[in-house]
Amino acid sequence: MMEKPHSHKRLLKIVLPALAAGFAAATSVAAAPLEGDARAAVDKLLQAQTAGLPGKVGIRVEAPGSGPLPPCDALEAFLPRGAAAWGRVSVGLRCHSDQKPWTRFVLAHVAVEGRYFVALRNIETGKALAAGDFAARNGDLTALPRSVVTDAAELEGVVAANRIASGAPLRRELVRGVAVIQQGQTVKVVAEGPGYSVSTEARAMTSAGAGSTVRAKTLDGRLVSGVADEEGQIRLAQ
């Protein structure tokens, strides 16, 4: 027997609201913001990691994609190996409970609002930079290359190593004579190879530009020599 059209309409009036309510409930669970001890642990970690950055730091944490986190009395936040508190980053949350330990990850975005410099005109290779060649701008430094110049003092007495287009952010590798490591500065010394990466801290014995050789003394008194990279670290030769 063929069902009457109005019976389908009655069925839809019953089913659709139920489906909508179920979807809304599921969405509200998935979109629950991170809060309580978990949010406090993430904020504390990222604030410590961003201390001393050249700008105003803003931290935004997304809701856990897997839904609310299980309860935990001993919660620790951490960054995965090789990750930095810069831009979009995954933050780990580890529960050390003896009964049921767990590890989850949440997404966070670290914005650093600060000053950087852009070229006001085309600057040809080899031209010495003058005060009228560049100007300061404000923006999110995490959306720019890590080597962008944030201190006008770094542009004193330098020449363009490559042609710089008008409006382009000034980066350390675009000029010669920019020191990415200052004498006496505490820097990270990195040694990498197949399947391993080791780092330690040392005090630079000389100033150096990106790509230049620099010597440093580690905290235990050893002398090391490596190449300064664009982020102000010393890379040891392998």
Side-chain angles (χ1 to χ4, degrees), residues 107-161:
L107 289 175
H109 185 274
V110 178
V112 181
E113 189 75 18
R115 185 179 69 163
Y116 64 98
F117 293 88
V118 301
L120 290 179
R121 56 179 63 89
N122 293 332
I123 304 173
E124 301 301 327
T125 303
K127 181 184 182 301
L129 269 67
D133 291 330
F134 56 88
R137 297 286 186 269
N138 286 300
D140 182 3
L141 300 181
T142 69
L144 299 168
R146 288 296 297 265
S147 58
V148 68
V149 176
T150 58
D151 186 350
E154 296 184 49
L155 298 173
E156 296 177 0
V158 301
V159 299

Side-chain angles (χ1 to χ4, degrees), residues 4-184:
K4 296 181 181 180
H6 63 269
S7 64
H8 290 288
K9 293 180 180 180
R10 286 199 303 270
L11 182 61
L12 287 175
K13 289 181 180 179
I14 297 173
V15 172
L16 288 179
L19 289 174
F23 177 79
T27 302
S28 63
V29 170
L34 190 69
E35 53 189 15
D37 292 342
R39 178 58 192 263
V42 171
D43 284 344
K44 182 179 179 180
L45 171 70
L46 295 179
Q47 287 166 3
Q49 291 287 323
T50 55
L53 288 178
K56 181 181 179 180
V57 176
I59 297 171
R60 187 178 75 249
V61 182
E62 298 184 12
S66 57
L69 298 175
C72 180
D73 295 328
L75 197 61
E76 174 197 12
F78 65 94
L79 291 179
R81 181 184 296 273
W86 188 266
R88 191 174 176 86
V89 62
S90 179
V91 180
L93 285 166
R94 184 183 292 120
C95 179
H96 295 282
S97 171
D98 293 333
Q99 296 181 350
K100 195 173 183 181
W102 50 262
T103 299
R104 301 285 179 85
F105 290 88
V106 296
L107 289 175
H109 185 274
V110 178
V112 181
E113 189 75 18
R115 185 179 69 163
Y116 64 98
F117 293 88
V118 301
L120 290 179
R121 56 179 63 89
N122 293 332
I123 304 173
E124 301 301 327
T125 303
K127 181 184 182 301
L129 269 67
D133 291 330
F134 56 88
R137 297 286 186 269
N138 286 300
D140 182 3
L141 300 181
T142 69
L144 299 168
R146 288 296 297 265
S147 58
V148 68
V149 176
T150 58
D151 186 350
E154 296 184 49
L155 298 173
E156 296 177 0
V158 301
V159 299
N162 298 284
R163 186 179 187 275
I164 305 174
S166 177
L170 295 178
R171 309 192 310 274
R172 295 184 179 97
E173 64 270 23
L174 294 179
V175 294
R176 291 196 297 266
V178 175
V180 295
I181 294 177
Q182 302 291 340
Q183 183 177 5

